[in-house]
């Protein structure tokens, strides 16, 4: 019973942050659920519940952002998700988590100090960023940081409504693609998770409702700092998860 209450509370928190900022769901959900659930169960439950909260958010962001804007990123992400699902069936990803966590930590510190990288070839960059995000989606379920850092570097957060709308569309599509790919790869067993997923809906809605109220009270600078803090938390969580197994 304690585990169920804990999971319920985690889902309220993560859906609140997802709704208020446009991202952060897996960043919060995966590390916290991993404390009480198995690693693969955590990844798959995060995928399934993430799909639900993003469907809620599509109604709230139906006039913000566009699928056309995120098409290059989502195409690259689907390509990256396929080898990720294959690797998930073969090897441990602790070393990968450690590497990604360190890289993200460096990137967050650079962005916090307003260090910018000039992007001359946006299509190429979107391909790399999208592919990495897709790979992370099927191996760790934490696929947001590369996309968030890319958007922040291009100052997309200046219009927070469009930023949130584009992120919602991106995460919805990669969520669906990851679930389908994981299912056919044999790592997603819906019959073992359908009840937990169904019971999560009230928690997800509570978080969504509170997050939607908070979103309209966040200014652009606060939004930017919250974004960087989320990626920082993600990097620390990934490093901690990897080192705890050693």
């Amino acid at each position: 019973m304690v585990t169920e209450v804990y999971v319920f509370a985690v889902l309220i928190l993560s859906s609140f942050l997802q709704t208020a900022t446009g991202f952060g769901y897996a960043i919060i959900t995966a590390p916290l659920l991993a404390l009480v659930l198995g690693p693969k169960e955590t990844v798959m439950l995060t995928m399934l519940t993430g799909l639900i909260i993003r469907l809620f958010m599509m109604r709230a962001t139906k006039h913000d952002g566009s699928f056309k804007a995120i098409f290059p990123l989502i195409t690259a992400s689907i390509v990256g998700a396929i080898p990720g699902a294959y690797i998930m069936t073969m090897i441990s990803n602790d070393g990968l988590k450690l590497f990604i966590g360190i890289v993200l930590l460096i990137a967050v510190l650079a962005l916090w100090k307003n260090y910018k990288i000039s992007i001359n070839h946006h299509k190429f960059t979107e391909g790399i960023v999208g592919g990495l995000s897709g790979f992370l989606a099927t191996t760790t379920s934490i696929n947001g940081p590369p996309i968030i850092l890319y958007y922040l570097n291009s100052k997309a957060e200046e219009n927070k409504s469009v930023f949130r709308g584009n992120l919602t569309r991106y995460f919805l599509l990669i969520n669906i693609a990851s679930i389908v790919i994981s299912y056919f790869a044999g790592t997603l067993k819906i019959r073992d998770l359908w009840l937990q997923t169904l019971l999560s809906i009230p928690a997800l809605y509570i978080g969504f409702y509170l997050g939607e109220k908070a979103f309209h009270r966040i200014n652009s600078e606060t939004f930017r700092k919250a974004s960087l803090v989320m990626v920082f938390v993600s990097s620390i969580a990934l490093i901690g998860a990897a080192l705890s197994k050693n």
Side-chain angles (χ1 to χ4, degrees), residues 26 32 35 43 110 128 148 177-178 196 202 216 223 226 235:
L32 293 179
L35 297 175
V43 171
I128 297 298
I148 298 160
S178 299
Q196 284 177 294
H216 299 288
F223 187 72
S235 64

Side-chain angles (χ1 to χ4, degrees), residues 26-59:
I27 291 173
I28 299 299
T29 306
L32 293 179
L33 289 188
L35 297 175
V36 297
L37 302 177
K40 289 193 175 181
E41 184 182 7
T42 294
V43 171
M44 298 308 156
L45 186 59
T46 300
M47 281 188 192
L48 292 171
T49 55
L51 176 61
I52 295 172
I53 187 60
R54 281 145 194 158
L55 288 173
F56 286 161
M57 288 187 64
M58 276 302 298
R59 291 197 63 184

Side-chain angles (χ1 to χ4, degrees), residues 26 43-44 46-48 50-51 54 74 76-82 84-86 88 130-144 170-190:
V43 171
M44 298 308 156
T46 300
M47 281 188 192
L48 292 171
L51 176 61
R54 281 145 194 158
I74 196 64
S77 294
I78 292 173
V79 173
I82 295 172
Y86 177 70
M88 184 74 163
L132 177 58
S133 178
F135 182 82
L136 290 175
T138 46
T139 53
T140 67
S141 79
I142 302 177
N143 64 318
Y170 172 80
F171 288 130
L172 174 67
L173 292 181
I174 191 58
N175 220 149
I176 293 171
S178 299
I179 289 171
V180 172
I181 292 169
S182 297
Y183 177 79
F184 284 105
T187 57
L188 174 61
K189 297 177 174 58
I190 296 177

